[in-house]
Amino acid sequence: MKTRNKSVILVDQHIEMNPEWMAKLKIQEQDVVILDPENLFIELDWTQYEDDVRVINIIYSRLFEDVVMNNKKLICFWPLAQQYGSDWFELESLCKENSCELELFKSGFFDDGNYGFSEEMLKSWKSFVFFLMESLFEDIQLNEHFDEIATLKSSRNSIILFTVEQEGVIRYSFVRDNEFLELAPSQNWLSTGDNNHLESFETFNEMLEKLLMKNDLSLYESKFVDIKLEKTYFNFLAKEFKTKNLIENWLNTYSMN
C-alpha cells in the first residue's frame, strides 16, 4: 500500500474551502476532506446519526472512500476552547492508540467557548466526530492488511481487487465496496472456500475466473494500482469476451492513457 498520512487537522472555526485558508495549511484542496457541522447540516441532518442508520451510512460511505481508500487528510471542526475536557482526552487517546497525529489550528475568532452553538449541539458533534474517527481507524487497520491491485467501477457498484500474504504466501482476492465496510479487522475474513468469508486464490487468473462467474466485467471501468497486472487483466477479458479489437477497448479504459 502507499504510505499513509496518519494525521488529522482540528480547526476551531467554520471551515470553508478557499485558497487563502488552504494556503495556511500548505495542502491542496483535492487532498483533503472537510468535516464541518454547518456545511454538513446543509446537506444532511447529521444530528440524527444515532437514530437513523441511513444518515450515518451516507456520511460514512463518503468518508470511507476519501480517507480510507483515497488516503485524503481529514480536516475537522473541533471546539479547541474545550480542549481539556473529557471529550478531548478521549479523542486524543484514540488517536494515540492508532498512531495518528493531531494538528491543531486555533483561530481565536469566537469570544465564547461554544462557537455560536448550544452546549447540547457541541456535545452531539464531538460524539459524532469520535464515532466517525473510531470507525475510520478500524477500517484503515483492515485496509493495511492488503495491497490493492485495482478498483473496478460500474454504474451499480465498485469491486476492489487485492493481494494478501497468508503464512508467507501471496494470495489474491476481491471485495465489493459495501462488503468491505462490513468486515472487522479481528476476523479471519479470508479463506479458501468457506462461504462465510471472502475467498482467496493462488493466481490472479483464478480470481478473475471466479469474479466473472457473477459479474459482467465488460461493464466495469478499471483503475489499476499494480500496473504489472493490468495487461494480464485485459488479455483475460479479450479471451473471455472474444474481443476482436483489444486495442480500442484498451484505449477506452486503460488507466495509463
Side-chain angles (χ1 to χ4, degrees):
M1 300 295 291
K2 294 181 291 185
T3 301
R4 178 170 292 278
N5 187 344
K6 291 190 174 181
S7 64
V8 173
I9 298 175
L10 301 183
V11 183
D12 65 345
Q13 62 176 297
H14 178 57
I15 304 173
E16 294 282 0
M17 279 287 204
N18 63 70
E20 181 180 354
W21 192 86
M22 298 300 293
K24 293 180 181 179
L25 298 179
K26 297 180 180 180
I27 195 168
Q28 299 298 313
E29 180 177 337
Q30 64 270 19
D31 296 328
V32 301
V33 56
I34 298 293
L35 202 56
D36 176 86
E38 293 185 6
N39 289 336
L40 186 57
F41 192 83
I42 293 173
E43 302 177 29
L44 196 66
D45 185 359
W46 57 265
T47 63
Q48 299 299 312
Y49 80 96
E50 290 183 301
D51 303 316
D52 187 348
V53 68
R54 183 186 64 90
V55 171
I56 196 63
N57 283 344
I58 291 173
I59 296 171
Y60 188 72
S61 62
R62 181 169 53 187
L63 274 182
F64 173 84
E65 181 74 18
D66 287 336
V67 178
V68 180
M69 302 310 299
N70 295 329
N71 197 18
K72 291 186 178 182
K73 176 173 285 195
L74 178 62
I75 300 179
C76 181
F77 169 79
W78 186 272
L80 292 174
Q82 303 177 2
Q83 184 174 342
Y84 299 107
S86 60
D87 296 319
W88 164 258
F89 287 113
E90 288 177 5
L91 181 66
E92 188 178 38
S93 297
L94 176 67
C95 290
K96 284 183 178 179
E97 290 170 5
N98 290 276
S99 302
C100 179
E101 179 186 1
L102 286 174
E103 301 179 39
L104 311 182
F105 286 83
K106 292 185 178 182
S107 67
F109 178 75
F110 290 97
D111 294 329
D112 68 279
N114 287 342
Y115 300 87
F117 297 101
S118 68
E119 187 64 35
E120 182 181 1
M121 181 69 76
L122 275 185
K123 183 177 180 180
S124 178
W125 175 254
K126 288 185 286 187
S127 297
F128 176 64
V129 169
F130 185 90
F131 173 81
L132 290 175
M133 289 182 62
E134 187 176 42
S135 300
L136 286 171
F137 288 142
E138 289 177 355
D139 283 327
I140 286 171
Q141 181 183 347
L142 173 60
N143 188 52
E144 289 177 342
H145 279 73
F146 66 80
D147 287 323
E148 185 178 347
I149 297 171
T151 300
L152 311 179
K153 290 189 176 183
S154 73
S155 59
R156 300 180 62 182
N157 60 26
S158 298
I159 301 173
I160 304 164
L161 312 183
F162 62 94
T163 61
V164 64
E165 184 174 331
Q166 291 183 315
E167 298 179 352
V169 177
I170 299 297
R171 299 188 66 88
Y172 298 83
S173 190
F174 62 88
V175 62
R176 289 170 181 79
D177 49 3
N178 61 325
E179 293 173 334
F180 191 101
L181 290 171
E182 297 172 358
L183 295 175
S186 60
Q187 291 179 333
N188 179 21
W189 45 272
L190 274 179
S191 73
T192 56
D194 187 341
N195 290 330
N196 295 323
H197 296 78
L198 297 179
E199 289 187 80
S200 63
F201 305 87
E202 292 185 0
T203 69
F204 184 57
N205 279 13
E206 285 181 9
M207 179 188 68
L208 293 180
E209 289 172 2
K210 180 69 176 201
L211 187 59
L212 193 60
M213 291 174 63
K214 295 184 178 180
N215 303 273
D216 184 353
L217 295 184
S218 66
L219 300 178
Y220 286 78
E221 294 183 359
S222 63
K223 182 178 180 181
F224 272 76
V225 177
D226 188 339
I227 59 175
K228 293 180 293 185
L229 291 174
E230 190 161 17
K231 185 176 180 179
T232 302
Y233 175 78
F234 279 101
N235 281 333
F236 177 86
L237 292 190
K239 293 177 182 178
E240 290 296 325
F241 294 106
K242 306 288 190 298
T243 306
K244 294 182 179 180
N245 194 346
L246 175 61
I247 299 301
E248 181 180 353
N249 183 51
W250 202 330
L251 289 175
N252 287 334
T253 56
Y254 189 41
S255 66
M256 294 188 68
N257 286 291

